[in-house]
Amino acid sequence: MNTLATSNRNQTLRVINPTEGRGIWVLNDYQIHKLSGADTGQALSLFFANVAPGEGPPPHIHEREDEIFIVLEGKIEFASRDTVHVAGPNSVVFAPRGQQHSFRNCGDAIARMAVILTPAGFENFFAEVGLEKDCPHARPSVAPEEIEQMLQCAARYGLTFCS
């Protein structure tokens, strides 16, 4: 029996309004988390990411989750081991688990994306290493302790940073 289908039987239709969600700064990116594993029977998590010009994570690998990026505004450069693609509004990028990838805002304004991770669980990494703050415009400077905490937590969430 499909346990995912069984776990979703008790779920009901939910509407998350534009002003709802959990705001978290992860380094220099502001995320608004809309759905967590608790909301979806662990099927997926969903957040919106506001990525500053020139920003994005270094190359990394998720061992447990597939990622789907939907570019809403701006231009994002996505890279794998051997390819680089620039994605604009309404582009969809799929990053399968186990595959090295990274992204970077290659435009000159904030880029916005919807990001889906499946299965859910990785949203807990962001909550653990990020700075919860309901203010997308005023990020305090990144403390060295935040980067160290991120590196220490990565393995627990099946995340490997690549050089």
Side-chain angles (χ1 to χ4, degrees):
M1 175 180 268
N2 182 341
T3 58
L4 199 53
T6 303
S7 67
N8 284 337
R9 284 188 191 148
N10 296 326
Q11 301 295 318
T12 60
L13 179 75
R14 279 192 68 193
V15 175
I16 298 95
N17 293 309
T19 58
E20 295 178 311
R22 180 178 183 189
I24 301 174
W25 280 99
V26 179
L27 301 180
N28 288 314
D29 296 342
Y30 186 70
Q31 301 176 352
I32 304 166
H33 289 250
K34 298 290 192 169
L35 291 170
S36 69
D39 301 318
T40 66
Q42 300 305 317
L44 61 90
S45 62
L46 166 73
F47 65 91
F48 292 113
N50 295 338
V51 183
E55 296 294 333
H60 61 282
I61 298 170
H62 294 271
E63 292 300 329
R64 303 174 189 157
E65 302 86 16
D66 297 321
E67 281 185 290
I68 301 166
F69 302 90
I70 305 166
V71 179
L72 304 171
E73 295 176 17
K75 292 189 306 185
I76 303 282
E77 178 182 272
F78 289 89
S80 66
R81 284 190 197 273
D82 54 0
T83 62
V84 176
H85 299 279
V86 175
N90 301 315
S91 296
V92 176
V93 176
F94 175 67
R97 69 189 76 188
Q99 299 296 311
Q100 179 179 310
H101 65 282
S102 63
F103 64 84
R104 180 182 67 85
N105 178 348
C106 58
D108 56 3
I110 297 282
R112 293 185 60 245
M113 296 188 292
V115 182
I116 300 167
L117 290 119
T118 181
F122 197 75
E123 69 275 15
N124 298 318
F125 172 80
F126 294 130
E128 190 171 334
V129 303
L131 174 64
E132 191 164 345
K133 189 170 173 121
D134 190 24
C135 183
H137 305 294
R139 183 5 167 158
S141 61
V142 176
E145 302 85 50
E146 287 180 78
I147 296 170
E148 184 59 34
Q149 182 181 15
M150 186 174 285
L151 294 173
Q152 289 177 0
C153 291
R156 258 194 344 266
Y157 288 93
L159 176 65
T160 303
F161 291 105
C162 309
S163 53

